Amino acid sequence: MHRISNAVRLLLLLVALGAFPAGAAPLQAQWEFRLLPGDAQGAAHPGLQQWRAATVPGSVHTDLLAHELIRDPYVGAPEAELQWIGLADWEYRARFDVDAASLAKAHAELRFDGLDTYAEVTLNGKPLLRADNAHRTWHARVEGRLRAKGNELQIVFRSPIRTLLPGVQAMPHRIAGNYPSPYGDEPKDAMVGNFARKPAYHFGWDWGPRYVTAGVWRGVDLQAWDAHRLTDLAVRTDALDAEKAKLAVVLQVEQDAVAGPVSVDVEVRDPDGRSVARVQRTVELKPGRNSVEVPVELAKPRRWWPVGHGAQDRYTVQAHLDGSADPVLAREQRIGLRTVELRREQDDKGGQGFAFVINGVPIFAKGANVIPFDAFPARVDAARLRQVLVAARDANMNMLRNWGGGYYEDDAFFDIADELGLLVWQDFMFGGGMQPGYDTAFRASVVAEARDNVRRLRHHPSIVLWCGNNEEETAWKDWGHGRDLKSADQAFAAKVWQGYVDLFGNDLRQVVSEDGLGVPYWSSSPSNDLDEKANDSTRGDKHYWQVWGNPALPVQAYLRETPRFMSEYGLQAWPAVATVDQIATRAEQRIDSPVIRAHQKFMAGEGNTRLLHYIELGYGTPKDFEDFVYLSQVMQADGIALAALHHRASRPYTMGSLYWQLNDVWPGASWSSVDYFGRWKALHYAARRFFAPVTVAALRDEGSTRVRLVNDGAALDARWRLRVMDVEGKVLRRREQTVTLAAAGVTDIGTYADAELLAGADPARTVAVFELLQDGKVTARQVVGFVEAKDQVLPRQQLTSTLAIDGDHYRLRLHSAALVRAAWVDFGALDVQVEDNLLDLLPGETRDIAVRGPVDLAALHEALKVKTLNDR
């Protein structure tokens, strides 16, 4: 079907309203939008200058789509024809009334949580504010300017390209940008994205489209008050262990022009809702802003832990002024009690570690990078966030990195991460290239943006790092950005670099130090925090792209790169054919078709050649597009498993493995393990195994296999087993013995040469099976081949499948007569959840897999397909 279904469209159009501060109410208004009269785009797009209903929060693209004035931006290849939207100026207006109680208050304020990006706001015909940063929260005092009926708020959004382009073109030398537009809406040698404080990915990335948006992308609210209001509540942890917590509840109170006393009431409730502390006092407020600090102590605190290390207990802190029920005088915050340390111990070889330590316990970080969930952020609701974050937790992840080229996520994202025990590495919103940090106004805007977001999010225990940017330091030092600018204008290059140091080395560090409640700061990823070398395996965090990127090394190269913390590495794969069906007809599903190329953003549409290169290295040439999709997913899963297991097996030298990437911004080729519609790729099923708390790392490279047992928890007794067998099941060699797995560590079993394992057997018809057994059951397994998968001799048609009802779900039983590699169970577009997938089955093995979903057995039977490497 060549269009997104109604059910999916409904999901995409759901709007997340976001969280409003206490005492503020979403503005109850009727919103409209239009192309600004007189705009140059009007001649080519007549009729758009009339007012039409708009959705807020939203964007001009989604409003145009809702009125069927443009094609769906994700279906087919409409991107080029929609670039005019980013070149136009747009106008929004809201009409609203104000109740008598609010009008009677002495003070009133309109708060804009997201204006994208260059906006001129008027209220009842008079200027109110000018905005120039989509990441900031904008406040405007409106007392005396409101009326009971018929208020009109107007917002003109200027094209960021047209706004910034003259200044960029006037520069004698330009700082490096990110991805040049292929559509002619912006000169390739004068990119404006680095100068705009708007989500960088809106200008296009190598996994998503270029849609330069405008609009009211987060909520607008109105607050009214009299003598004073409570504007913020933060809880600082001064001391914390298993016996006692010493906290400071810090309140920000805004007082009228006349000083006076106020009573403060602070109460703390434990995770079960019981009151465990209450403090009441009277304080004298001075005119203006006041900071009120209330100490609180808790006995036997229940600490918040990352998933797999303890419970995710959270406390509720409430504060009231004057004992009033007025919401402007009250605040409530849910918090988790935990300590955070970024441990950077020097080693005896001149290296330096990089480990997160939570409540005194070093944590090996297992997870992935997160990109924006949609090109149009207001379409992302809490249900979609939960779907993907639960998938991360279910794949045994404990950390996500919020990448810096998007936007600061809604509180809903972090609420869910808090609940699930997922640690969050949070970038500030700088995605690459270089920034004009030498511009004092630009830096001031970024500092205001940083304070807004650090203060908004700091109560979330999941956030354990604030990072200045993504890849800007390594781009300057390693990619030629600094070298090229120095050769053109050495003085200007020095000015640009000093601006970088000022912004990321000083300004943002200071914001996090002052407002971040003890969470550490890191200036860039990758880096060693402004040390001489930016992307170093012996110090700091590492991005490794020699596999997939340049020089496109084979996946075995992952085993020769041992970092202190791997924060980026990845391999691409296409999503399931059921997802591709949402964007392309079956006739268009060819590797080189225009639609498929349009949804392959790597190498400006040429990325399928790189993907095919990796498929052919290990698996041979695909038979057709469906086979191409399947093999891309197998290759991705196998390659990332190799890297992740190597990282885990290198503990404690290595203390983190975050692959690129968890999720998708739209349906298309990417490095994700969960696609745009929430479908798990093969990689995500594999991640659940290679990130399991206890697993086997049997890693073969250059003719030998090193075997290590990985254990995240307490020491445990188990058995490990080796069987060398042919593809028909004949066991050629067997070894089994008891082992005690080291606590929070790695147990080395040994290294086995191919010649030792094979003992003269045919490498193309033989595998080594390494397994870990607990209580007599196999809990982890790796099947190691001695040749590339394309060269393995696998018996064909050896798998049988049966489906049956099994209580509240269906049971899919797979049975293999001989060795089966990479069995992939596919039910097409049916809305079902498959318990496990991408399976190796040994000769004679039977596997039962639970299948759940609102479908009948006959539909399952009809849709079921199982692909394997044996069938090739």
Side-chain angles (χ1 to χ4, degrees), residues 706-776:
R706 185 176 180 187
V707 184
R708 285 160 288 181
L709 306 179
V710 180
N711 176 27
D712 286 342
L716 59 87
D717 293 329
R719 296 184 69 80
W720 74 272
R721 180 168 68 195
L722 161 65
R723 287 178 290 170
V724 180
M725 64 177 65
D726 68 19
V727 295
E728 303 292 347
K730 182 181 178 180
V731 177
L732 308 176
R733 180 182 175 189
R734 179 187 179 104
R735 181 180 177 187
E736 184 173 334
Q737 67 184 61
T738 300
V739 64
T740 298
L741 275 66
V746 177
T747 303
D748 199 335
I749 297 300
T751 300
Y752 299 86
D754 287 357
E756 177 186 0
L757 293 172
L758 287 167
D762 182 355
R765 298 182 56 84
T766 308
V767 294
V769 182
F770 295 91
E771 294 171 312
L772 186 69
L773 295 87
Q774 296 172 266
D775 299 325

Side-chain angles (χ1 to χ4, degrees), residues 476-495:
W476 181 265
K477 293 180 175 179
D478 305 324
W479 301 357
H481 291 186
R483 179 200 63 222
D484 294 346
L485 192 56
K486 287 175 186 176
S487 65
D489 188 332
Q490 192 164 358
F492 182 56
K495 180 179 177 181

